[in-house]
Amino acid sequence: DMNNCLTKCVASVVGGAAMGMVFGPIFSSSFLSSSIDHDQTATFKQKVVAGWKDMYKAGLRMAKTFAVVGLVYSATECTIEKARGAHDYKNGLYAGCVAGGILGASGGPASAAVGCAGFAAFSLGIDYFMTDTDPRDFMIKDKDLNQMLIREKEENLFKAYERQAELLDEIDIDTLGLTPEQLEELDRIIEAEKKE
C-alpha cells in the first residue's frame, strides 16, 4: 500500500543520509590531505578544526547523494512492484538499473549504462545476501517456465498442423471442379511441400 511505500522511501532517505555521513569523511580527500596542511603559519588546532570541517562538508555531500539514491531506488522499486504485481528479485534489479542510470546520466549514455549495470548487480547481490531466497532460484524457475511455455506453444502448433492436414485429406478434389492446369499446379505445390 501507499503507506508502506512512503515508509520505505523515508527509511531509505534516512539510511542513505546516515551512510553518507559515515562514508563521506572516510573517502574524502580532505581526510588524507587538507589545503591548510600547506599553510606554514597555521597552528595544529587550526589544522585539526579545518580538517574536521572539510570532512563534515564531504559527509554532507555524500549524505545528500546517498539519500537521493535511496529515494530514487525505493520509489522506483515500489512503483515497479505495484505495476508488476509481484514481489521478487526483478523489482530490485530494475530499480537498481533506474537509480544507477539516473545517477550516471550526467556523465553521458556510457556512464548511465555503467551505472545501470552496476546498481542492478549490486541490488541482485543485496537480495542474495539479505534475503532467505536465492535470486538464482527464481531465475532457474523463470527459465524453466519459459521453456515449458515454448514447448506448449510448439505442441499446439503441431496439433494445428495435424488438424490442417486432416482437413486437407478430407477434401474430395474431384468435386472442386478444377481445370487440368490447376490440378497440375496443385500437384506441384504438394510435391514442393513434401520436399521441404
Side-chain angles (χ1 to χ4, degrees), residues 2 8-9 15 22 35-36 56 63 70 74 91 101 114 123 126 146 154 166 175:
M2 198 62 186
K8 274 185 183 178
C9 289
V22 170
S35 57
I36 202 168
Y56 177 74
S74 57
N91 298 333
V114 169
S123 174
I126 291 294
N146 288 338
E154 285 173 348
E166 287 170 8
T175 62

Side-chain angles (χ1 to χ4, degrees), residues 4-175:
N4 191 26
C5 280
L6 189 61
T7 305
K8 274 185 183 178
C9 289
V10 169
S12 296
V13 169
V14 171
M19 280 180 64
M21 284 305 290
V22 170
F23 289 114
I26 293 172
F27 293 114
S28 71
S29 59
S30 61
F31 182 71
L32 302 173
S33 170
S34 177
S35 57
I36 202 168
D37 288 343
H38 304 292
D39 185 357
Q40 300 295 327
T41 60
T43 64
F44 176 74
K45 183 179 178 183
Q46 287 173 323
K47 289 180 180 183
V48 169
V49 169
W52 278 107
K53 283 182 180 176
D54 285 348
M55 288 167 59
Y56 177 74
K57 287 176 187 173
L60 277 182
R61 276 195 307 274
M62 196 165 278
K64 286 177 189 174
T65 303
F66 277 34
V68 169
V69 170
L71 178 63
V72 170
Y73 177 84
S74 57
T76 306
E77 183 184 31
C78 209
T79 304
I80 290 170
E81 186 174 325
K82 288 193 182 316
R84 291 183 64 234
H87 180 73
D88 58 18
Y89 74 96
K90 290 181 182 177
N91 298 333
L93 197 66
Y94 300 148
C97 180
V98 170
I102 288 172
L103 279 174
S106 60
S111 179
V114 169
C116 168
F119 268 79
F122 179 73
S123 174
L124 199 61
I126 291 294
D127 272 352
Y128 177 73
F129 289 109
M130 300 293 283
T131 60
D132 293 338
T133 55
D134 187 341
R136 291 175 296 186
D137 293 339
F138 287 112
M139 291 177 191
I140 291 166
K141 284 179 187 173
D142 283 351
K143 184 181 175 186
D144 292 343
L145 178 64
N146 288 338
Q147 287 174 345
M148 185 187 75
L149 291 172
I150 289 168
R151 279 195 301 271
E152 192 177 303
K153 287 193 181 295
E154 285 173 348
E155 286 170 8
N156 289 339
L157 196 58
F158 183 70
K159 285 176 186 174
Y161 281 140
E162 280 186 331
R163 181 61 187 143
Q164 188 179 22
E166 287 170 8
L167 290 172
L168 286 173
D169 288 341
E170 291 171 8
I171 295 173
D172 186 0
I173 293 177
D174 295 333
T175 62

